[in-house]
Amino acid sequence: MAQVRITQQGTIHCFPAGLKDASGKLVNAEISAVAYDGERLLMASDKPIPGEGRSAVFSLPLDSSGPDDSQLEYLTAARIRQAVKYEDFALTTDGRHMLATTGFDRIDSESHDLNDYNHLLIWPLDEPDKVQVVDPDPRDGVEGSLEFRQKLDAAIGEPYYKIEGLAVVPSDKGDGLLLFGVREQGNSHDDFQYVRRVIGARYALTDSDNIEFIEELHDVYAFDPAEYAGVRHECGLSSLEYDPYHARLYLVTSFETEQAGEEVIGGYLWVLSLADFHAGKAPTLVKNEAGEVLEFEHKAEGLAVLDRERLFVVYDNDRNYALGSVDARDERHACEAPYTLLTLT
């Protein structure tokens, strides 16, 4: 049985309070991705954070007292600032490079207006200014991972989809198996199904610190949460995270629905060994220390393995400001992002 206990909760100030976008609307922290490099947390909002010297991607140190947002630093390389709707990060298996994916949930075939939503990026871990686009369009001046999007189209086989998970696991060939978690797929953004589907392909690192796929993207894994007692809501995949300490994979699913006219959000955490993952076996639904299903009260969108015993969870609650048990206050400020630190028991 996989069990965890909540050891810390709180909020992170992601940008100055009262920050507004160009249209005068209050900017909202919607944290959808998190990674940990051994010293600092790397986070991203799936909405832009405007202003000179800012971007949707930022890092901050993590110490024994928790994340320290007084030392928050934005990653401001042009390509990092250009990409829109970040959904997940992944460290390469050697820990030397960071990968980041956007949602790939929209494209304009008649123009390049929506290319910013279609980016797979890579950079040397401590050198984000050396960021590169993976599988870029070969035409000069056309931005985005448009060659990669064609591979996604072929592998997923649906007109519409949304990528929300990213992880790298060891592989018998190349430098790793790069996994992409599909949350939604269907005919369009308003005609889709929630899924828990993982596609992937082996890759090799190039001498120029980029990656090349050495096989076609293909289906790797899928599961159905509805088969589990204690899962009360339909949910889609929202994050993937490889745990190198225990050779296993974590999967996060989240839900957003209505009951009696009220919005209900939350999520679940799942885990399975790499051997079971490759064998297509069902994951284990993580429980709390009381032995009950761990149901997040917020929309869990990102997970980072901190060490052998601790996990860090971030939430994208969209315009839902309720804090619940995270804080004594009823509501967060728009600039704040809630988080939870879990310890394995």
Side-chain angles (χ1 to χ4, degrees):
M1 180 185 296
Q3 290 182 287
V4 297
R5 58 184 172 88
I6 296 174
T7 50
Q8 187 182 68
Q9 297 192 97
T11 61
I12 295 168
H13 288 76
C14 304
F15 45 82
L19 182 67
K20 295 182 179 180
D21 62 20
S23 65
K25 293 182 179 179
L26 205 61
V27 178
N28 187 42
E30 301 183 21
I31 305 304
S32 54
V34 63
Y36 183 62
D37 66 6
E39 295 181 354
R40 298 178 69 87
L41 292 164
L42 181 69
M43 296 186 182
S45 175
D46 73 1
K47 298 292 189 298
I49 299 177
E52 189 67 28
R54 299 192 192 102
S55 81
V57 183
F58 55 89
S59 71
L60 65 164
L62 178 71
D63 57 30
S64 58
S65 61
D68 182 2
D69 55 20
S70 71
Q71 299 186 59
L72 185 148
E73 297 179 356
Y74 298 100
L75 278 61
T76 56
R79 285 194 171 116
I80 291 177
R81 296 189 71 189
Q82 180 175 4
V84 176
K85 198 168 177 56
Y86 284 94
E87 294 294 355
D88 211 354
F89 296 123
L91 275 169
T92 52
T93 53
D94 62 5
R96 296 174 57 192
H97 294 81
M98 184 67 71
L99 287 151
T101 187
T102 62
F104 287 88
D105 63 336
R106 65 199 76 181
I107 192 72
D108 186 345
S109 59
E110 302 299 322
S111 74
H112 300 301
D113 292 346
L114 300 179
N115 286 14
D116 293 349
Y117 293 85
N118 298 268
H119 276 80
L120 178 61
L121 302 176
I122 186 171
W123 62 87
L125 186 58
D126 296 322
E127 300 177 282
D129 287 343
K130 294 183 178 180
V131 59
Q132 297 181 69
V133 177
V134 177
D135 260 2
D137 190 291
R139 293 168 291 180
D140 290 340
V142 178
E143 299 294 337
S145 299
L146 300 194
E147 288 288 293
F148 178 65
R149 184 183 174 90
Q150 293 182 17
K151 296 173 182 177
L152 287 174
D153 288 346
I156 296 173
E158 298 281 357
Y160 166 81
Y161 50 83
K162 181 187 287 186
I163 302 298
E164 289 210 4
L166 186 68
V168 180
V169 300
S171 171
D172 57 346
K173 296 179 181 178
D175 292 306
L177 173 62
L178 184 52
L179 304 174
F180 298 88
V182 185
R183 176 181 179 82
E184 301 171 3
Q185 64 181 41
N187 292 318
S188 65
H189 73 278
D190 55 4
D191 179 17
F192 67 86
Q193 291 183 326
Y194 286 113
V195 293
R196 287 72 39 193
R197 182 181 179 186
V198 180
I199 61 175
R202 294 173 179 85
Y203 71 90
L205 280 164
T206 69
D207 293 338
S208 60
D209 283 322
N210 208 318
I211 63 171
E212 291 181 351
F213 292 102
I214 59 175
E215 63 179 352
E216 292 186 355
L217 278 174
H218 58 277
D219 275 294
V220 179
Y221 188 76
F223 75 104
D224 185 1
E227 299 174 355
Y228 290 74
V231 175
R232 303 188 301 149
H233 304 282
E234 181 185 17
C235 48
L237 191 62
S238 57
S239 187
L240 296 171
E241 177 76 352
Y242 173 55
D243 176 359
Y245 301 99
H246 303 97
R248 60 192 178 192
L249 189 71
Y250 285 100
L251 305 96
V252 181
T253 58
S254 63
F255 56 85
E256 44 193 326
T257 185
E258 283 192 5
Q259 285 186 341
E262 295 291 328
E263 181 185 48
V264 179
I265 59 175
Y268 303 98
L269 180 60
W270 314 77
V271 65
L272 74 167
S273 69
L274 281 188
D276 286 350
F277 174 73
H278 289 302
K281 295 184 178 180
T284 296
L285 179 56
V286 175
K287 298 184 177 181
N288 60 26
E289 55 187 337
E292 302 166 338
V293 171
L294 176 70
E295 183 177 298
F296 295 114
E297 62 180 322
H298 299 286
K299 190 156 71 78
E301 293 281 295
L303 175 76
V305 171
L306 301 181
D307 50 38
R308 295 186 64 86
E309 299 179 344
R310 298 181 302 157
L311 309 173
F312 193 90
V313 183
V314 294
Y315 307 98
D316 175 5
N317 290 347
D318 299 320
R319 293 287 173 175
N320 185 317
Y321 296 100
L323 281 168
S325 65
V326 167
D327 196 286
R329 296 172 295 151
D330 291 333
E331 293 189 343
R332 65 179 175 90
H333 296 293
C335 64
E336 291 180 288
Y339 72 87
T340 300
L341 200 155
L342 301 172
T343 299
L344 307 181
T345 61

